[in-house]
């Protein structure tokens, strides 16, 4: 099966290298998307729509149905791409992020400087987000980071095909638990509005920090493989 990996904010496609290796070894065709603005182009000119379009292109290039995997803010992108190609998505695996609903801002709370969003530094993520990252792993994560286009956070999610709610979805909970996520949803957290409409959603507790593709790549790959195996069989 084709598996498309979408990185979170600041990260390039190579940030998935360790996870992609496990998926490829299991026989899957893997594409890790490097977002526009992180590929040598001017990040001030790249838009959220460009990023969604890049993922849609990879879906169109796939041999059959795909598994879409998003990390953090990349979960919003995965969901937007799924909305545009509902019939081509076997399942969505969302890691440490949410299927942002239509009309919601993709992400807020981050400072924009000269048209880009710089990484604010590790102090901003002190606590559960980074509890499993030592200095070596932090340096590795940073080696895959460049400032993100401002539109990647300020854009408004645009969804139009309600059939997306039938896409099987796996919510991977890294620095928070599935119980916490369910509580946030029941409390009416706006960014979790889509969860209440999904026909089939599973929750997986990974018990890591926010960047498990670096700290626990094999375990994260196993979650993705389980999802791809189940839904590949279902599509036959």
């Amino acid at each position: 099966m084709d598996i498309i990996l979408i990185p979170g904010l600041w990260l390039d496609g190579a940030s998935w290298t360790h996870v992609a290796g496990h998926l490829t070894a299991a026989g899957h065709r893997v594409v890790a998307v490097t977002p526009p603005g992180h590929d040598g182009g001017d990040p001030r000119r790249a838009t959220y729509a460009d990023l969604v379009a890049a993922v849609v292109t990879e879906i169109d290039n796939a041999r059959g149905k795909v598994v879409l995997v998003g990390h953090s803010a990349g979960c919003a992108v995965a969901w937007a791409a799924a909305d545009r190609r509902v019939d081509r998505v076997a399942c969505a695996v969302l890691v440490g992020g949410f299927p942002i609903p239509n009309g919601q801002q993709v992400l807020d709370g981050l400072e924009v400087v000269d048209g880009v969003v710089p990484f604010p530094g590790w102090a901003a993520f002190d606590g559960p987000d980074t509890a499993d990252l030592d200095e070596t792993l932090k340096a590795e994560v940073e080696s895959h980071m460049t400032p993100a286009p401002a539109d990647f956070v300020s854009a408004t999610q645009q969804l139009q095909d309600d059939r997306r709610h039938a896409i099987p979805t796996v919510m991977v909970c890294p620095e928070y638990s599935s119980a916490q996520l369910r509580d946030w949803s029941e409390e009416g957290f706006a960014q979790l509005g889509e969860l209440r409409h999904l026909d089939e959603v599973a929750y997986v507790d990974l018990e890591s920090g926010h960047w498990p593709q670096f700290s626990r790549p094999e375990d994260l790959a196993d979650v993705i493989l389980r999802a791809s195996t189940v839904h590949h069989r279902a599509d036959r």
Side-chain angles (χ1 to χ4, degrees):
M1 181 170 271
D2 288 52
I3 301 175
I4 299 173
L5 306 173
I6 306 162
L9 204 64
W10 305 299
L11 294 169
D12 61 15
S15 62
W16 287 106
T17 295
H18 301 307
V19 172
H22 292 294
L23 301 177
T24 300
H28 296 278
R29 176 179 177 268
V30 180
V31 175
V33 176
T34 290
H38 294 276
D39 55 3
D42 185 350
R44 295 169 298 180
R45 296 181 178 274
T47 68
Y48 181 73
D50 293 334
L51 176 50
V52 174
V55 176
V56 169
T57 295
E58 296 300 342
I59 297 173
D60 290 342
N61 289 339
R63 298 169 297 189
K65 286 195 173 185
V66 305
V67 175
L68 283 182
V69 181
H71 168 250
S72 193
C75 295
V77 182
W79 200 239
D83 175 77
R84 287 149 179 78
R85 293 294 186 272
V86 170
D87 294 331
R88 296 291 308 280
V89 179
C91 71
V93 180
L94 306 182
V95 185
F98 315 130
I100 300 299
N102 183 56
Q104 288 285 322
Q105 183 176 335
V106 174
L107 189 64
D108 60 10
L110 292 169
E111 183 181 7
V112 175
V113 179
D114 192 25
V116 298
V117 180
F119 177 61
W122 292 111
F125 298 96
D126 234 3
D129 285 350
T130 56
D132 61 346
L133 295 180
D134 59 20
E135 294 306 312
T136 299
L137 280 177
K138 286 179 180 177
E140 184 181 359
V141 176
E142 286 190 73
S143 74
H144 292 282
M145 285 181 167
T146 51
D151 199 59
F152 283 13
V153 300
S154 63
T156 299
Q157 183 80 302
Q158 301 290 333
L159 307 174
Q160 57 188 7
D161 192 337
D162 286 345
R163 293 181 301 155
R164 69 185 178 276
H165 296 141
I167 296 173
T169 303
V170 179
M171 301 297 297
V172 182
C173 304
E175 73 273 20
Y176 50 83
S177 69
S178 58
Q180 287 175 304
L181 183 57
R182 291 171 190 268
D183 286 345
W184 297 335
S185 179
E186 290 174 4
E187 290 165 8
F189 183 42
Q191 289 189 317
L192 292 173
E194 285 284 280
L195 288 184
R196 295 186 285 275
H197 298 288
L198 297 184
D199 296 341
E200 182 181 343
V201 57
Y203 296 84
V204 177
D205 287 302
L206 198 57
E207 298 180 354
S208 68
H210 188 64
W211 289 270
Q213 64 270 56
F214 292 95
S215 61
R216 295 184 61 183
E218 187 171 3
D219 293 330
L220 179 55
D222 284 344
V223 172
I224 298 168
L225 288 171
R226 287 197 297 272
S228 62
T229 299
V230 168
H231 296 294
H232 179 58
R233 289 173 179 165
D235 286 330
R236 285 182 164 179

